[in-house]
Amino acid sequence: MHAPEFVGRGREIAELRRAFAAPPPVVWIDGEAGVGKSRLLREYLATRTARADRVLVARCPPLHHPQTLAPLVDAVRQAADTVEGLPLSPLAGALRPLFPEWAGVLPAAPGPAEDATAVRHRAFRALAELLGCLRVAVLVVEDVHWADEATLEFLLFLTSRVPQPVGLVVTCRPEDVPSGSLLRRLATRLAADSASAAGRLRLTLAPLDVAGTARLVSSMLSGVQVSERFAGFLHRRTDGVPLAVEGAVRLLADRADLTFHGGGWERRHLDEIGVPATVRDMVLERVGRLGPEAQAVLRAAAVLGRPAEESTVQAVAGLAAGRAQAGLCEALDGGLLDDDGWGQVAFRHVLARQAVYDAIPRPRRRTLHRRAGRTLEGLAPQPVAELAGHFRAAGERSEWCRYGEWAADLALASGDETTAGALLHDLVVNAGLPAASVVRLIRKFPFASFAGPARFRELLPPLRAALDSGVRGPGEEADVRVQLGNLLLFMGEDDAGRAELKRALPHLAHDPAEAARAMMRLGWPRSSSWPVAAHLRWLERAAQVEVPSMTAADRLGFAADQATARLMLGEMDGWALAARIPDDAAVPAEWQQISRANLNIGDMAMLWGRYAVAERRLDRALALAGRRRYRRYQSAAMVTRAHLDWLTGAWDGLAERAAALAEGEDILPLARLESLLVAGLLQAAAGAYEPAAERLRLVLAEEVRSGALADSMEAAAALSRLALIGGRAEEALEITEEPAAVIARKRTWVWAADLGPARVAALAAAGRVEEAGRLTAAFARGLRGRDAPGPQAGLASCRAILAQARGENTAAARLFARAAAAWQDLPRPYEALLAQEQQARCQLAAGRPETALALLAGVRGQLIALGALGDADRVVATLREHGVAAKRPQRGGRRGYGNGLSPRESEVTRLVATGRSNRQIAEALFLSPKTVAQHLSSAMRKLGVSSRTALAVLATGAGSTVAELAQRDVPDQEPGAVAKNR
């Protein structure tokens, strides 16, 4: 049995040759497991053309917690024994944490950096310089889907530099790219470059066809042809994936199920012999046919999980030298292991490695991991992240904790906060540590880069267990309680978090900075029925704490918190504090605080109705958080920006965006509720009242439960409006009663922009007009001296509703016109249009039908253009009642495109016409397959076809380009069809 030859990739080799001919090449190669990505690269790099360039190959093993920049560091170590004599600048001292064995010849370490981002950027520059000094022309990164985040950031760093210092080639399995991975951004950048630049190439390797399968099998059988039936059989069972084809042929040969007949190879019994359907079955049967030494070697290699020296494999296998050598040779001859050319051996494919690993009994697996850990401890430098993983799997807790914390410290020192957070989380949650260790590790958590409510929730039991197990004195107990309180606040559990902070405060004299932070959080007015004065007292106490050791960045954070809290309380002096927060800073340690400050101040600007300020602040927060990888702030800013788009009428594509944000894995609970709120508000405006009410009830209940009372006001107002549309005044009263009481008790009238008009309208509908008048007067008193355009517009609506309830129709029409102008000035066009609708109704009641109907006709058109189809239906009904012919708005497509295709629907249609599946389209457009299916369904409905094939034919047929389809429209539908689509 011969090794398989390289077949069926002539086109791909030619494309690689063209890309490398225009240096620096940037190449992306993707495809499913076993399809031959690594083989394609090896074959090309072995050619004379490729050998003219110095190529550095980095491989990313599938480690549980990969070490920071480990693939690149290992590759450099293979390429150079030392850096002595290289013309390195003083910047190269930043490489000391990565290459401790070269500390004697590297420049001195640079001074301390301000934060993790500066450390990381410094290391990236130094690593790029080192590649240049080593004259690396092309960097190849294999299996980049397993790369640590710092490695991905370095690749983004390389591709963003002008001119690009080295070429870049990556191989990837798209199906294994985790949600939220930076790899998606890298793929987007490479795809954009590929469309317009020489040297840029994106290859997707497909499985072999039947002919290619036949050639591959023939090459393994001394070049003798195989029968067409045999080739077809193998293709059906393996889908043409080269790894599966090779495994099937080797298995058939091992079974003696191949026979030479009539000048070609054939299976012995066509109907009796079946190739196992999965690669795993084939691998395990092949392993079972090997001797015990080869099996021991394979198990050791599977546990190591990465290329390793032969001596390392021998030690983990527990074999004497001679037996290990024999087993290694048998495994290599059998095609399961491969020598990578660097003196290291590894499985030829990860699927084979995983099959062997999964088949190892757990007790033996623990023993092998323990041997692996003890063996790798002897390496210099020690691979601490791998050691942590091996000792964890071996059940050796002390070694796991020691190496895990060490690996986290190294990651933090290198600026890789994501890896550090994962390592620390694993230790705190799973290692059963004592209280002091839990507190020490929690203090190291990079919370700005660590998100996901489930992962936060998993930290609670260890902290509570630390309290229950007994802590050494009140000071240590306070330390635990502060961290527990902080964690609960991060999760949106405000009341519980505040309770822990209050219990900790009397015992925090040893840590004044932590005490000041706890007071600040107690002053944050997000929960309870405390009046404004109580919150202000905590804020003032926090401001008075003297912390001489506080850094400038910490002081900036405190100032931002003070500004945000005072603005939420409705205090005008909060704006003066907010004005002192800069948009940027020269000191990296302040970037995180500025990102958070802009996010919070942007949120408060929305509460006050200062939408231009909100847009500027939120966009700045998004830019900083995205650049610095502050994931928690980034996801929250994206949600808040979507909320602002709802308010300002930027609704195109907003429903899809809000739904995607709500499904995000890293989003925190309150941010998820905010995205669900936006989705519910859009449903209500579109006339989908029942699903909107269901979603809004969920949002309201969860916001009240978590203590986010200010956030709950908008959901309560929207639910009350839906109840009034349905004629349920008592329900509207019930919904708004407690929120209105909270505002009155706390005197936080800046919260009442939406709730105020909703409550007044509910009272008026129930005939409680005098009570509505008292509420409106209290609202006006509460806003005195406050430049709050949003609440002022809400107050204008309250006055108009009150006049209408009193039967003062002429005055009410005038007041609604003022309210509409106030809403539009924000701008908040939806509320402005609803106020204009009520203005017209008052004009009708006052006997001015011509003016009223003209105004309603204009409102109808603007509501349709905005996407408020439910409200437009109501206006159309009024127009028809007064003899004005008016069409109901059409359903069935995203707003603004009628029955023509939207840009996204056009893109999906174009890709369908190329024969791609929904999954392939989703990967190309970075959408979920579910979203692609929705676009596809909408496009088919608009174009009047019922199958993908018909859609593809229409899109590629004569005279029908996708661009034309995007602009195509159809006549107005009948009312019955509209109702069916709804």
Side-chain angles (χ1 to χ4, degrees):
M1 182 71 61
H2 296 277
E5 294 181 3
F6 183 63
V7 301
R9 303 299 187 198
R11 178 185 62 83
E12 290 83 354
I13 287 288
E15 291 191 23
L16 282 174
R17 189 175 294 113
R18 283 193 293 271
F20 273 71
V26 176
V27 179
W28 171 282
I29 305 174
D30 63 37
E32 64 182 290
V35 80
K37 302 179 292 296
S38 297
R39 178 72 184 271
L40 172 68
L41 267 181
R42 285 201 305 269
E43 294 292 334
Y44 174 73
L45 295 177
T47 65
R48 185 176 61 182
T49 303
R51 288 198 300 269
D53 297 319
R54 181 162 192 189
V55 178
L56 190 66
V57 180
R59 296 175 176 85
C60 305
L63 301 178
H64 186 59
H65 292 303
Q67 194 161 325
T68 300
L69 296 170
L72 303 172
V73 170
D74 289 345
V76 169
R77 286 195 180 112
Q78 294 287 346
D81 295 329
T82 181
V83 293
E84 188 173 8
L86 293 179
L88 295 170
S89 73
L91 179 66
L95 297 175
R96 283 172 171 255
L98 300 175
F99 300 96
E101 71 273 27
W102 293 344
V105 294
L106 283 170
E114 294 291 342
D115 73 351
T117 57
V119 173
R120 188 164 55 243
H121 186 70
R122 187 186 285 171
F124 288 173
R125 290 171 56 208
L127 189 54
E129 178 185 301
L130 177 58
L131 293 179
C133 290
L134 292 174
R135 301 187 181 279
V136 173
V138 179
L139 173 63
V140 175
V141 184
E142 290 210 61
D143 295 320
V144 72
H145 46 275
W146 285 320
D148 61 286
E149 187 155 306
T151 295
L152 296 178
E153 287 190 340
F154 178 71
L155 301 183
L156 280 166
F157 170 80
L158 283 183
T159 58
S160 65
R161 301 191 77 185
V162 181
Q164 188 172 313
V166 299
L168 177 64
V169 180
V170 298
T171 68
C172 173
R173 297 212 311 255
E175 65 271 18
D176 285 342
V177 178
S179 175
S181 170
L182 278 176
L183 188 54
R184 297 187 183 277
R185 188 187 305 177
L186 179 65
T188 302
R189 176 173 294 175
L190 298 187
D193 289 344
S194 299
S196 59
R200 267 51 176 169
L201 173 63
R202 182 161 184 165
L203 279 177
T204 297
L205 289 192
L208 299 174
D209 57 16
V210 175
T213 300
R215 291 197 300 274
L216 180 64
V217 175
S218 175
S219 72
M220 298 177 68
L221 303 174
S222 303
V224 180
Q225 69 177 16
V226 298
S227 72
E228 185 176 340
R229 286 196 310 165
F230 184 27
F233 168 81
L234 283 176
H235 190 269
R236 286 192 303 273
R237 296 304 178 95
T238 64
D239 290 327
V241 175
L243 176 72
V245 173
E246 180 187 349
V249 173
R250 290 186 182 277
L251 181 57
L252 289 170
D254 291 344
R255 292 172 172 176
D257 284 339
L258 289 176
T259 181
F260 190 77
H261 177 70
W265 287 97
E266 177 61 276
R267 290 182 299 156
R268 187 178 300 277
H269 301 294
L270 187 63
D271 296 326
E272 297 176 8
I273 301 172
V275 178
T278 65
V279 173
R280 177 171 298 175
D281 293 336
M282 292 187 290
V283 169
L284 293 181
E285 186 168 350
R286 289 174 60 197
V287 170
R289 294 175 181 275
L290 300 177
E293 291 84 2
Q295 292 184 23
V297 166
L298 288 171
R299 286 192 291 267
V303 164
L304 286 165
R306 65 173 180 89
E309 301 285 346
E310 294 180 12
S311 58
T312 301
V313 176
Q314 173 191 334
V316 176
L319 296 174
R323 295 180 64 201
Q325 187 70 19
L328 183 60
C329 290
E330 186 178 2
L332 289 168
D333 290 341
L336 287 166
L337 290 187
D338 192 17
D339 188 321
D340 70 351
W342 299 97
Q344 297 181 323
V345 295
F347 276 86
R348 293 189 58 202
H349 197 276
V350 65
L351 291 184
R353 179 258 170 188
Q354 192 64 48
V356 173
Y357 183 85
D358 291 342
I360 303 173
R362 290 187 180 275
R364 180 178 290 184
R365 193 186 300 175
R366 286 193 290 271
T367 299
L368 291 172
H369 275 293
R370 188 177 300 110
R371 283 186 197 159
R374 299 300 180 208
T375 302
L376 295 179
E377 278 184 310
L379 299 182
Q382 293 178 321
V384 290
E386 291 182 56
L387 287 168
H390 285 303
F391 285 121
R392 184 186 192 279
E396 301 285 347
R397 188 173 67 176
S398 60
E399 285 88 350
W400 164 29
C401 294
R402 177 161 59 92
Y403 285 114
E405 185 172 359
W406 185 2
D409 290 340
L410 286 174
L412 289 171
S414 302
D416 185 3
E417 294 186 342
T418 301
T419 296
L423 288 162
L424 293 169
H425 176 272
D426 192 23
L427 289 171
V428 171
V429 170
N430 298 311
L433 298 171
S437 298
V438 169
V439 171
R440 184 185 71 253
L441 295 178
I442 287 285
R443 284 179 179 275
K444 296 182 179 184
F445 256 89
F447 280 106
S449 302
F450 187 81
R455 293 198 294 167
F456 276 122
R457 191 169 297 280
E458 288 171 347
L459 295 172
L460 291 177
L463 285 169
R464 288 179 171 140
L467 289 173
D468 295 341
S469 65
V471 289
R472 295 192 299 270
E476 187 173 282
E477 179 181 342
D479 289 336
V480 177
R481 290 199 182 279
V482 163
Q483 299 305 329
L484 179 58
N486 291 340
L487 185 60
L488 289 165
L489 291 176
F490 277 127
M491 295 169 56
E493 303 284 349
D494 287 12
D495 285 339
R498 280 181 168 80
E500 295 295 344
L501 294 180
K502 289 178 72 175
R503 294 178 68 179
L505 263 174
H507 307 291
L508 282 175
H510 63 286
D511 194 343
E514 195 65 70
R517 281 189 285 270
M519 292 175 191
M520 178 70 70
R521 293 183 178 117
L522 286 169
W524 203 263
R526 290 188 63 91
S527 84
S528 85
S529 58
W530 291 357
V532 167
H535 292 295
L536 289 176
R537 282 196 295 272
W538 280 112
L539 295 176
E540 288 161 5
R541 283 186 62 183
Q544 292 167 4
V545 175
E546 293 291 336
V547 188
S549 61
M550 187 179 291
T551 66
D554 286 336
R555 295 184 190 282
L556 178 59
F558 266 71
D561 288 342
Q562 283 277 357
T564 305
R566 300 185 80 86
L567 288 173
M568 191 180 290
L569 290 166
E571 297 295 301
M572 278 293 296
D573 61 1
W575 290 112
L577 293 174
R580 300 174 190 171
I581 306 296
D583 283 344
D584 209 337
V587 182
E590 299 178 12
W591 289 334
Q592 183 172 324
Q593 299 295 353
I594 292 172
S595 177
R596 185 172 64 88
N598 277 281
L599 169 59
N600 290 340
I601 293 169
D603 195 18
M604 292 303 98
M606 287 167 55
L607 185 71
W608 285 61
R610 300 185 177 192
Y611 294 159
V613 174
E615 181 177 15
R616 182 173 66 83
R617 290 285 189 173
L618 292 174
D619 286 350
R620 187 62 190 150
L622 270 172
L624 278 172
R627 187 187 314 157
R628 304 294 169 191
R629 296 296 294 163
Y630 303 142
R631 286 187 169 180
R632 186 163 58 87
Y633 301 151
Q634 185 179 26
S635 63
M638 291 172 68
V639 169
T640 309
R641 190 65 173 83
H643 193 173
L644 179 62
D645 287 343
W646 153 260
L647 296 172
T648 58
W651 293 3
D652 186 24
L654 183 57
E656 180 181 280
R657 184 151 46 100
L661 288 169
E663 294 172 1
E665 294 181 359
D666 289 334
I667 192 170
L668 292 175
L670 288 178
R672 188 185 306 279
L673 290 176
E674 188 174 8
S675 62
L676 290 173
L677 169 67
V678 172
L681 293 170
L682 286 165
Q683 284 180 309
Y689 297 139
E690 290 187 10
E694 182 178 356
R695 180 165 288 178
L696 292 170
R697 279 193 290 268
L698 168 66
V699 171
L700 177 59
E702 286 300 308
E703 286 179 335
V704 171
R705 184 193 63 78
S706 66
L709 299 183
D711 297 338
S712 71
M713 298 299 162
E714 193 173 355
L719 274 172
S720 176
R721 177 179 285 169
L722 288 177
L724 291 178
I725 288 174
R728 304 185 300 277
E730 290 301 321
E731 182 181 328
L733 281 173
E734 183 181 354
I735 291 168
T736 56
E737 183 172 3
E738 180 57 24
V742 168
I743 292 175
R745 287 196 302 267
K746 295 179 74 66
R747 299 182 182 179
T748 49
W749 291 99
V750 292
W751 297 4
D754 293 282
L755 197 281
R759 179 63 177 175
V760 169
L763 290 168
R768 294 159 58 176
V769 178
E770 293 307 313
E771 189 175 344
R774 290 193 296 272
L775 177 60
T776 301
F779 194 0
R781 289 193 300 272
L783 292 182
R784 284 176 187 164
R786 289 172 173 81
D787 181 11
Q792 291 288 356
L795 176 60
S797 287
C798 289
R799 288 169 171 157
I801 295 167
L802 187 61
Q804 184 183 32
R806 289 171 174 168
E808 302 165 357
N809 291 308
T810 300
R814 183 173 63 254
L815 290 171
F816 274 119
R818 291 179 183 173
W823 288 117
Q824 190 58 49
D825 284 345
L826 295 179
R828 195 164 168 182
Y830 181 49
E831 294 297 331
L833 289 169
L834 295 182
Q836 285 184 317
E837 179 191 353
Q838 294 305 313
Q839 175 191 352
R841 295 185 186 282
C842 290
Q843 289 171 341
L844 284 172
R848 299 170 57 194
E850 291 185 4
T851 303
L853 294 174
L855 179 57
L856 281 176
V859 168
R860 169 199 171 273
Q862 292 179 70
L863 285 171
I864 293 173
L866 185 63
L869 305 187
D871 301 285
D873 277 340
R874 184 179 59 249
V875 172
V876 166
T878 302
L879 288 168
R880 288 180 175 179
E881 287 174 8
H882 291 80
V884 178
K887 291 182 179 180
R888 291 186 181 277
Q890 297 179 27
R891 268 68 171 178
R894 280 173 51 185
R895 181 197 59 77
Y897 300 103
N899 284 304
L901 301 190
S902 71
R904 184 63 86 186
E905 290 163 353
S906 299
E907 187 71 7
V908 169
T909 300
R910 181 182 65 80
L911 293 174
V912 165
T914 67
R916 300 196 195 188
S917 67
N918 282 16
R919 185 184 184 92
Q920 290 170 325
I921 294 171
E923 292 169 356
L925 299 180
F926 297 97
L927 301 172
S928 70
K930 181 178 178 181
T931 300
V932 170
Q934 290 170 348
H935 285 309
L936 183 58
S937 176
S938 178
M940 290 166 62
R941 183 177 63 250
K942 290 180 180 182
L943 298 176
V945 297
S946 58
S947 69
R948 294 171 62 93
T949 302
L951 181 65
V953 170
L954 184 61
T956 57
S960 292
T961 65
V962 172
E964 291 166 344
L965 293 173
Q967 299 174 9
R968 197 174 100 167
D969 210 343
V970 298
D972 192 13
Q973 296 177 350
E974 293 298 319
V978 172
K980 182 177 180 180
N981 287 339
R982 289 178 65 182

